[in-house]
Amino acid sequence: MITLKLANQTVKIDKGELVNYIVNDVEFIHQKGDPGWRNADTEMFPIIGPTAEANFKVQTPKGDAVQDQHGLLRELAYTLVENSSTTAIFQKEYKANTKVTNSKYPNKSTVSELYWPYDFQFQKKYQLTNSGLKITFTITAEEGMPYMLGYHPAFKTENSTTQVSYGENTKASVQDIKAAGSVAYPLRDVTKAELQNTNAITIETQGFKELMLWTEVDTMLCIEPITFYPYDVAQNKLFKGFSHIGKLPAEYKVFLKPIN
């Protein structure tokens, strides 16, 4: 377990996963084991969304890849590459076409192995600042590699009256989000939102295009920055939502800012 501290803020990271963000003794992160979701955060890469209706195949310029829902990155282990009192950097590396065991098989999937036809390096950097927690994702790969990226953090909510505020005085309640079901609740062209508990927190992003919201319970809510909302297309057309690596690594940022 890695612990970061700055003034009244404490962050705990377990094998790359954000499991605690505590400010003035208030916990903002959903706790593993509580109802709602088995994790506290994860990343969706190199695709977002389900693939079962496309026989778990995703079209790329180098041929079809086999991917389960939200990609194969979550099946890889993070390595800690740097750590200080306020910063921690974790990294995953993947070699093209390496078969990766699918943890959803056989209970939730019919494919036992996943692969992607490109090398990539994925870095996740946590940094505590005076205004909150900054998380930076850096993707290094060959120029032209297609990908989607989503960040999937889960926050504590107080009850069914908790709301997410965004845009021009627009709000979505936990009940609205639950009603959206498995396709989540999209916030179109939104890169900043506020979770309105008694102790509120703002999530701001750079690089991501929009947000989607998901929960199945009243006490937890996922506010997910994404590069593409996957339910806009049929699963066999998922490639239409790809971004592409340029000459330089791609960088995305998320800022968690508690509101005092």
Side-chain angles (χ1 to χ4, degrees), residues 217-237:
V217 298
D218 292 340
T219 54
M220 179 209 80
L221 177 62
C222 295
I223 304 177
E224 308 169 36
I226 52 175
T227 59
F228 178 70
Y229 179 66
Y231 303 100
D232 279 339
V233 297
Q235 292 182 22
N236 64 350
K237 302 293 184 182

Side-chain angles (χ1 to χ4, degrees), residues 21 26-32 34-37 39-40 153-165 172-178 194-201 203 213-223:
Y21 182 36
V26 174
E27 174 65 78
F28 286 97
I29 301 301
H30 163 72
Q31 296 300 284
K32 299 170 77 166
D34 288 350
W37 189 41
N39 295 325
F155 299 92
K156 280 179 163 294
T157 58
E158 293 169 346
N159 50 52
S160 61
T161 64
T162 296
Q163 295 181 316
V164 175
S165 174
S173 70
V174 168
Q175 294 307 305
D176 294 332
I177 297 160
K178 284 172 66 177
E194 179 183 320
L195 179 63
Q196 297 182 325
N197 285 324
T198 301
N199 298 283
I201 189 168
I203 181 168
L213 313 176
W214 174 81
T215 189
E216 295 180 342
V217 298
D218 292 340
T219 54
M220 179 209 80
L221 177 62
C222 295
I223 304 177

Side-chain angles (χ1 to χ4, degrees), residues 12 41-42 53 107 113 125 132 136 147 151 165 179 183 197:
K12 291 186 178 180
D41 90 344
T42 193
E53 293 178 5
N107 293 333
E113 295 180 320
K125 178 181 179 181
T136 304
Y147 70 94
Y151 179 44
S165 174
V183 300
N197 285 324

Side-chain angles (χ1 to χ4, degrees), residues 46-62:
I47 62 104
I48 304 171
T51 57
E53 293 178 5
N55 295 317
F56 301 95
K57 293 181 179 179
V58 178
Q59 184 177 328
T60 84
K62 289 189 175 183

